[in-house]
């Protein structure tokens, strides 16, 4: 059984390592800052899992119920990892949603997260099952809040185009919210209520490994890693056709980071030229024909000619159909 838990933990760490490398490449190749946030988050979770493996290797974990009353085995390091993981998750969410947060507010939020973690951390004279539950429950709730925030933004979308833009993220966050809720329930049951007979050898050994793990949270991390790799594969295939040095950057501060990938894929599938892609980009940003002409320093008639060809290649007959088709596909 001990070997099986070792393999399980190593597999989880390898998954986090693969997600870390993939997200880092998204940042390097595509300039995706959400990729940087995700890469750091997965790296920190890998280290967090490594602490569990270390504690089992050197046998410093308390046995049975004593684990929940003993507090963190490496309080400072584990608290810093916890703060970093939660901060990276929220940074990823805000970047994906295109929500700009002023530096001052970012500092306040980070200090609030750090303060709450420090106050709730079960260390010293404050140890006990209730304090342990408060610490891990806070982590679960912050994770749930991040995914709930995405769903709230989706439901409050001001247009069908914006809602369509968030559709893929909505599915990801719906699954994440459900798994985070299950993780919270698992912590409540294991820490506060589940008191088996530790005198049975196999029960004692099984629960010795389970005490520092949350299987639902592990499933959530694997779920996020798989979704990240799927998205990164799509992103990197697009940028392999459109190297950064050979294209006009389409990102801006008020756009979500997946807009560029969606636009390039859409244009490639329909055989749009580079100029037609530039016109389409501005149309999708809400520019009218006159503004498109001004931004690209071309005549109004040239813009209309480009739009006519775009409509023909995309199989639509109006700007409204073009927008609906882009965000739906």
């Amino acid at each position: 059984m001990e070997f099986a838990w070792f393999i399980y933990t190593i597999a989880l760490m390898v998954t986090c390592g693969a997600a870390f490398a993939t997200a880092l490449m998204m940042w390097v190749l595509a300039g995706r800052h959400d990729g940087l946030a995700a890469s750091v988050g997965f790296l920190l979770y890998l280290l967090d899992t490594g602490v569990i493996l270390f504690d089992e290797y050197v046998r410093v974990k308390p046995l049975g119920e004593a684990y929940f009353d003993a507090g963190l085995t490496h309080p400072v390091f584990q608290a810093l990892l916890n703060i970093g993981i939660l901060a990276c998750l929220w940074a990823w969410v805000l970047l994906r949603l295109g929500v700009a947060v002023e530096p001052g507010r970012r500092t306040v939020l980070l200090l609030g997260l750090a303060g709450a973690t420090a106050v709730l951390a079960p260390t010293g004279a404050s140890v006990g099952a209730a304090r342990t539950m408060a610490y891990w429950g806070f982590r679960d709730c912050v994770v749930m809040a991040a995914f709930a925030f995405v769903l709230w933004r989706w439901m409050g979308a001001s247009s069908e185009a914006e809602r369509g833009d968030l559709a893929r993220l909505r599915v990801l966050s719906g699954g994440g919210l459900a798994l985070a809720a299950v993780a919270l329930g698992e912590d409540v049951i294991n820490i506060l209520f589940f008191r088996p007979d530790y005198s049975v050898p196999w029960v004692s050994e099984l629960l010795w490994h389970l005490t520092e793990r949350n299987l639902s949270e592990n499933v959530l991390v694997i779920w996020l890693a798989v979704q990240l790799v799927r998205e990164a594969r799509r992103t990197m295939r697009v940028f392999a056709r459109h190297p950064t040095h050979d294209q006009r950057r389409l990102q801006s501060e008020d756009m979500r980071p997946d807009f560029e990938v969606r636009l390039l894929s859409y244009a490639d599938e329909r055989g749009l030229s580079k100029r037609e892609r530039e016109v389409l980009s501005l149309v999708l940003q809400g520019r009218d024909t006159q503004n498109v002409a001004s931004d690209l320093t071309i005549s109004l008639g040239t813009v209309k000619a480009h739009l006519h060809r775009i409509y023909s290649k995309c199989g639509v007959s109006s700007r409204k159909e073009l927008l609906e088709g882009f965000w739906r596909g």
Side-chain angles (χ1 to χ4, degrees):
M1 182 178 292
E2 189 164 336
F3 179 71
W5 283 111
F6 173 79
I7 294 298
Y8 168 82
T9 308
I10 291 296
L12 179 60
M13 294 174 68
V14 169
T15 301
C16 290
F20 158 73
T22 302
L24 189 63
M25 290 304 296
M26 285 180 63
W27 175 59
V28 171
L29 295 179
R32 296 274 297 260
H33 290 92
D34 62 313
L36 179 60
S39 67
V40 176
F42 277 108
L43 177 62
L44 294 178
Y45 196 85
L46 187 155
L47 294 174
D48 196 42
T49 307
V51 172
I52 298 175
L53 195 61
F54 174 82
D55 287 348
E56 293 177 346
Y57 178 75
V58 299
R59 298 283 170 171
V60 298
K61 282 177 61 175
L63 297 176
E65 297 178 42
Y67 172 79
F68 299 121
D69 295 322
L72 301 176
T73 53
H74 312 278
V76 175
F77 186 63
Q78 287 177 285
L80 289 175
L81 289 176
N82 189 58
I83 295 168
I85 290 169
L86 297 178
C88 287
L89 174 62
W90 269 96
W92 177 82
V93 165
L94 295 175
L95 287 166
R96 285 301 307 270
L97 292 174
V99 177
V101 180
E102 299 175 358
R105 289 189 175 183
R106 287 201 297 263
T107 302
V108 170
L109 292 173
L110 184 59
L111 290 176
L113 185 61
T117 300
V119 169
L120 295 174
T123 60
S126 65
V127 296
R131 192 58 168 270
T132 300
M133 181 62 237
Y135 178 79
W136 294 113
F138 172 73
R139 170 162 156 164
D140 295 332
C141 289
V142 173
V143 173
M144 290 173 61
F147 293 123
F149 180 70
V150 177
L151 296 177
W152 175 73
R153 294 279 295 196
W154 175 79
M155 289 187 292
S158 58
S159 65
E160 287 300 320
E162 186 179 356
R163 181 168 292 192
D165 187 27
L166 294 174
R168 187 179 293 106
L169 200 56
R170 171 185 61 87
V171 174
L172 173 63
S173 298
L177 179 60
L179 287 170
V182 174
L184 176 61
E186 183 179 333
D187 280 335
V188 171
I189 293 173
N190 288 340
I191 298 174
L192 299 180
F193 299 106
F194 187 54
R195 294 295 180 265
D197 183 4
Y198 286 97
S199 63
V200 180
W202 73 267
V203 172
S204 178
E205 183 180 354
L206 173 64
L207 296 179
W208 184 74
H209 289 283
L210 278 176
T211 48
E212 204 169 356
R213 291 175 172 85
N214 185 308
L215 299 183
S216 302
E217 183 181 90
N218 294 166
V219 172
L220 170 59
V221 171
I222 294 171
W223 157 263
L224 293 175
V226 170
Q227 300 306 314
L228 173 70
V229 171
R230 289 180 60 189
E231 179 179 350
R233 178 174 177 269
R234 174 170 170 263
T235 299
M236 292 177 186
R237 289 177 65 182
V238 169
F239 275 87
R241 298 192 298 267
H242 300 275
T244 302
H245 68 274
D246 192 36
Q247 66 169 324
R248 176 179 178 266
R249 297 298 293 177
L250 304 172
Q251 293 172 317
S252 65
E253 292 182 358
D254 60 342
M255 285 186 190
R256 278 171 287 277
D258 57 349
F259 173 78
E260 186 171 8
V261 175
R262 182 189 288 259
L263 175 61
L264 293 173
S265 296
Y266 186 85
D268 284 351
E269 290 168 1
R270 288 154 182 82
L272 301 185
S273 68
K274 181 178 179 181
R275 179 60 84 180
E276 289 167 351
R277 193 172 68 231
E278 292 172 344
V279 171
L280 175 60
S281 173
L282 293 173
V283 169
L284 293 170
Q285 295 176 53
R287 307 287 205 281
D288 59 24
T289 307
Q290 183 61 60
N291 285 330
V292 172
S294 299
D295 288 348
L296 297 179
T297 61
I298 56 180
S299 69
L300 194 62
T302 302
V303 173
K304 291 180 178 179
H306 283 311
L307 282 174
H308 178 74
R309 286 193 293 272
I310 291 171
Y311 291 165
S312 177
K313 291 179 180 180
C314 295
V316 299
S317 58
S318 66
R319 181 183 293 247
K320 180 180 179 181
E321 290 182 8
L322 178 65
L323 294 174
E324 290 177 350
F326 177 84
W327 294 117
R328 185 173 59 247

